[in-house]
Amino acid sequence: MKITELSQLDLNGTYTYADYLTWHFKERIELLRGRITLMSPAPGMYHQKISGNLHGILWSFLRNQSCQVFSAPFDVRLPRVSKGSEEVIYTVVQPDISVICDESKLDEQGCIGAPDLVVEVLCPSNSRKEMKDKFDLYEEAGVQEYWLVDPTHRSLTRYVSNSEATFIGMRPLTDEDVFVTDLFPGLQVDMKEVFG
């Protein structure tokens, strides 16, 4: 059955990526462990500016390398069991920015498996989801770095996966900082450029 209205779904139900592919309605959603989560309406101008600035910095640095940078909307499917059958995928997210260095994870639908880097820009309506729910999903999936950008406080907090696949939080960065990451040797991010 073709789903054209969100009201046709049980918002307390559990769904898979295969279900997600049959939905044709205007609302933007993500699936977090099979649960439908409504996405915020279009982000504000400052959110878009920050996301665009970071995308540009990453794209410029990575353009001649094997890693690729993608902006939302871009489906990232995080399999529950293993890479493979779409029936076992209960999580589909659309990070503000994803960097994928393993080309085998890319297909026409987006990315299947953990990106190397995920960047989420906070807004009042998504802060809990990005700071708790998606944090747990990205850590569990094996994302190597997770950057949470807070436009209100003009700060960026980096979480880096350690040898036990657990995120370790780094010191928050402000618009006075320039930082480097072991994930992309040689990349320097000037926070003034991020916040404009």
Side-chain angles (χ1 to χ4, degrees):
M1 177 171 117
K2 188 174 181 181
I3 305 294
T4 57
E5 298 287 331
L6 188 58
S7 61
Q8 292 175 269
L9 299 173
D10 175 2
L11 296 182
N12 294 313
T14 301
Y15 298 96
T16 66
Y17 181 64
D19 297 319
Y20 175 91
L21 290 175
T22 67
W23 302 338
H24 303 280
F25 42 77
K26 64 181 180 198
E27 293 88 357
R28 289 183 54 220
I29 62 135
E30 293 177 306
L31 281 181
L32 304 183
R33 292 191 169 97
R35 303 303 292 248
I36 294 172
T37 304
L38 291 171
M39 296 183 71
S40 310
M45 186 273 303
Y46 192 48
H47 179 287
Q48 290 290 75
K49 183 177 180 181
I50 291 168
S51 184
N53 290 345
L54 268 170
H55 184 275
I57 291 165
L58 291 165
W59 182 87
S60 293
F61 180 78
L62 296 170
R63 73 175 177 257
N64 295 319
Q65 299 181 38
S66 61
C67 300
Q68 297 181 54
V69 184
F70 298 92
S71 293
F74 177 77
D75 283 348
V76 172
R77 294 160 284 155
L78 301 174
R80 179 180 265 177
V81 181
S82 63
K83 189 173 172 178
S85 171
E86 292 172 348
E87 271 61 52
V88 299
I89 298 170
Y90 290 89
T91 297
V92 184
V93 291
Q94 294 186 356
D96 289 309
I97 299 172
S98 304
V99 177
I100 295 99
C101 299
D102 179 353
E103 194 171 320
S104 71
K105 292 181 179 180
L106 297 170
D107 61 22
E108 285 302 313
Q109 287 76 41
C111 174
I112 183 164
D116 297 87
L117 168 66
V118 169
V119 179
E120 296 280 13
V121 180
L122 299 176
C123 62
S125 62
N126 76 0
S127 294
R128 180 192 182 281
K129 181 171 73 167
E130 312 300 4
M131 295 175 77
K132 169 74 176 106
D133 302 336
K134 288 171 113 179
F135 177 99
D136 292 342
L137 287 168
Y138 294 146
E139 181 180 58
E140 181 183 297
V143 170
Q144 293 178 47
E145 283 200 23
Y146 181 34
W147 298 357
L148 272 174
V149 183
D150 183 343
T152 303
H153 296 102
R154 296 174 63 92
S155 66
L156 183 151
T157 304
R158 291 173 50 231
Y159 296 93
V160 178
S161 185
N162 66 12
S163 58
E164 288 86 40
T166 301
F167 280 147
I168 303 299
M170 302 290 138
R171 177 183 69 80
L173 303 159
T174 68
D175 55 7
E176 298 176 3
D177 292 307
V178 174
F179 76 93
V180 296
T181 171
D182 292 340
L183 188 58
F184 306 119
L187 173 66
Q188 289 192 334
V189 179
D190 183 340
M191 295 300 292
K192 283 185 179 66
E193 290 181 30
V194 172
F195 293 107

